[in-house]
Amino acid sequence: MSVHGTARVSRLSRRALNRALLHRQFLAERTGRTPLEVITHLVAMQAQEPNWPYVGLWSRIAGFEHGHLHTLLEKRAVVRSALLRGTQHLTAADDFRRLRPVLQPVFDRTARASHFARAGAGIDTDSLIAAGAEILAVGTLPRRELGRLLASRYPGRDGRVLAGEVELRTPLVHTPETGAWGGWGTRSAVSVTRAEEWLGASMEPAPAEDLVRRYLAAFGPAGVMDVQAWSGLTRLREVIHEMRGELREYRDTEGRELFDLASSQELPDPDTPVPVRFLPAYDNVLLGHADRARVIGDADRKRVMPGRAVVLPTFLVDGFVHGTWSLKGVCLHIAPFRSLPAAGVRAVMEEAERMLPFVGASELSYGEAP
C-alpha cells in the first residue's frame, strides 16, 4: 500500500500490474454483471470489426449471448461510433454524450491531417459542418450517400473525404446493423445519424477529471502517458496533478510514477492464479497503456501488432499474451509463440473448445500458423 506526502511509495512489479488489470477487466474471473454494466465499466470497447466486441464480452461475462449486445444496440442503450483515439468503439449511450465532447481535440487533430486538408482546401470548416448538419437533418444516411451529397455541394472535391471530416467534427453514431454479429472479416455498409437526434438528448461534456477516474477504475494503476495513449488526449499531466488528493501513488519497477483511485480496493496478490482467456482483435487490454509490458512483451507485441494498424486476436496464459488465434472456415486455429507444458496446452484447448460454438466454429488446430 502506498502512502501520501513524504512517506515511501510502493513499487509495483509487472505481475502486480498484470493482476490488477485482469481483475478490473473481468478477465481473472467472468462476472455476473450485465453487458451494459461491463461496457460502462470498461468505458468503451474496440469495435473496428462488428464481431470483436462480442468475443470480448464472451470472455468477460458468464453466460453472455450474442443477442444481449444486439438488444442494447437496438434499444439505443449502447452506440457504435468513433471515440477513443478516434477509432471505432462501442460505448454506453450516456457515456457517449458526456465523453465524445471531451475527446473532440483528438478528432480535430485528425481532421487537420493532410488527407483532409487537401480535400477541404479553401472550404470554411464551419460551413462544411453546417452543410453536413443540413444534409443529416433528414435523419439516417449511408455514409457514401452523405459523401455524394457533399460532393454535389462542393464540385471537384472528394465527397468521401469531406464526409469523413464531417464525422470527425460532428458527433455521429452508426445505426445498429453496423454493430450486428455477422460474417468474419466483413464490414457492414455504415449508415450515420446525428447523435443528439438518435439518443434524444444533447451532448453534455464531462470534466476531463471524470475521464481519468473512469480510466483508472478499469485500467489502473497507470501513469499519465498511459491515460493519454488510451484516450488520444494530450496535456493531462496538469489535470492529474490537480487530482492528487483523491489518488493513490505508486511507482513501477523502472521508477515511473503511477496513479490509482484512493477509493479502489486493495490490489490483488501478484501470484493470484488466472485462467486462460481469449481476447478479440484490438482489445483495449493490449492498447490501453503506453507501457504494454504488463500484458505483452516487446517481442510478442511485434508479432501481434505487425503494422498498418493491425492488432491480431490473442490468448493469455498466466495473464500474459502467449499467442494468437484465427478463424478459417469452421476451424479455430491457435498459434502459440512458445511451447507450453501439457497442462498448459490442455487449459488453452479447453477454453478454446468452450468458445467454438460462440464464434461459429467446430474444429480446433494448435501449433504454428497454417
Side-chain angles (χ1 to χ4, degrees):
M1 173 67 66
S2 67
V3 291
H4 295 289
T6 60
R8 183 174 177 273
V9 175
S10 295
R11 290 193 177 236
L12 299 178
S13 67
R14 185 174 71 157
R15 286 185 67 85
L17 292 172
N18 173 270
R19 292 316 194 247
L21 177 63
L22 295 187
H23 275 268
R24 295 182 190 195
Q25 290 283 315
F26 307 116
L27 292 169
E29 181 180 0
R30 281 185 171 90
T31 181
R33 297 190 191 189
T34 68
L36 182 58
E37 289 172 332
V38 169
I39 293 170
T40 299
H41 173 78
L42 299 178
V43 187
M45 297 189 71
Q46 285 274 13
Q48 278 93 327
E49 298 289 345
N51 286 358
W52 292 126
Y54 291 83
V55 176
L57 291 172
W58 178 86
S59 287
R60 290 171 165 92
I61 300 174
F64 175 75
E65 299 176 4
H66 303 98
H68 297 160
L69 177 54
H70 190 69
T71 296
L72 292 176
L73 289 163
E74 289 285 352
K75 291 183 174 180
R76 308 187 186 188
V78 166
V79 295
R80 181 177 188 255
S81 181
L83 195 67
L84 300 170
R85 305 179 295 279
T87 58
Q88 305 304 321
H89 280 76
L90 291 182
T91 188
D94 286 343
D95 281 341
F96 185 82
R97 292 194 305 111
R98 301 183 72 245
L99 300 181
R100 176 60 172 78
V102 181
L103 296 165
Q104 187 58 44
V106 180
F107 293 89
D108 290 341
R109 186 171 66 233
T110 301
R112 291 193 294 269
S114 58
H115 174 70
F116 296 101
R118 285 193 299 268
I123 300 176
D124 178 72
T125 298
D126 290 339
S127 296
L128 177 62
I129 294 171
E134 184 179 339
I135 291 169
L136 287 165
V138 301
T140 301
L141 280 178
R143 186 186 278 158
R144 60 178 177 271
E145 178 66 6
L146 173 61
R148 187 188 70 79
L149 293 172
L150 285 169
S152 69
R153 295 196 179 205
Y154 300 100
R157 306 305 179 99
D158 188 332
R160 292 173 301 174
V161 179
L162 295 181
E165 181 168 354
V166 167
E167 193 165 355
L168 289 168
R169 304 282 190 182
T170 309
L172 304 180
V173 298
H174 304 168
T175 48
E177 63 272 13
T178 65
W181 178 266
W184 287 95
T186 62
R187 293 175 186 244
S188 302
V190 173
S191 292
V192 296
T193 189
R194 288 172 60 85
E196 292 182 338
E197 278 74 19
W198 183 258
L199 300 175
S202 61
M203 299 291 108
E204 296 181 0
E209 292 83 354
D210 280 3
L211 187 68
V212 173
R213 293 183 188 103
R214 297 286 300 281
Y215 171 79
L216 291 176
F219 293 88
V224 174
M225 297 302 293
D226 294 317
V227 189
Q228 294 184 163
W230 168 79
S231 66
L233 291 171
T234 58
R235 302 179 181 179
L236 290 178
R237 186 170 299 279
E238 184 176 337
V239 173
I240 293 175
H241 177 76
E242 293 297 321
M243 297 173 62
R244 281 181 180 269
E246 61 180 274
L247 300 179
R248 185 179 298 149
E249 299 176 26
Y250 297 101
R251 297 274 176 176
D252 66 13
T253 54
E254 302 298 319
R256 289 177 292 231
E257 195 173 36
L258 304 176
F259 301 96
D260 198 9
L261 299 174
S263 58
S264 294
Q265 294 181 346
E266 292 287 340
L267 300 182
D269 187 327
D271 294 323
T272 303
V274 293
V276 169
R277 285 289 182 258
F278 281 77
L279 297 180
Y282 303 100
D283 198 288
N284 275 327
V285 163
L286 300 185
L287 301 176
H289 299 85
D291 176 16
R292 296 165 179 168
R294 67 187 66 203
V295 71
I296 185 170
D298 286 342
D300 292 345
R301 181 167 55 83
K302 294 173 183 177
R303 303 172 77 170
V304 171
M305 306 171 192
R308 295 185 298 176
V310 172
V311 182
L312 300 175
T314 58
F315 65 95
L316 308 180
V317 175
D318 190 30
F320 293 89
V321 170
H322 193 85
T324 60
W325 61 276
S326 58
L327 282 167
K328 187 174 182 179
V330 297
C331 182
L332 190 159
H333 180 74
I334 300 165
F337 295 155
R338 292 165 296 282
S339 61
L340 279 171
V345 174
R346 283 198 302 272
V348 171
M349 297 298 281
E350 287 169 0
E351 181 68 359
E353 287 174 357
R354 284 188 282 269
M355 190 171 67
L356 282 179
F358 187 86
V359 298
S362 57
E363 299 175 7
L364 275 178
S365 64
Y366 184 95
E368 294 184 2

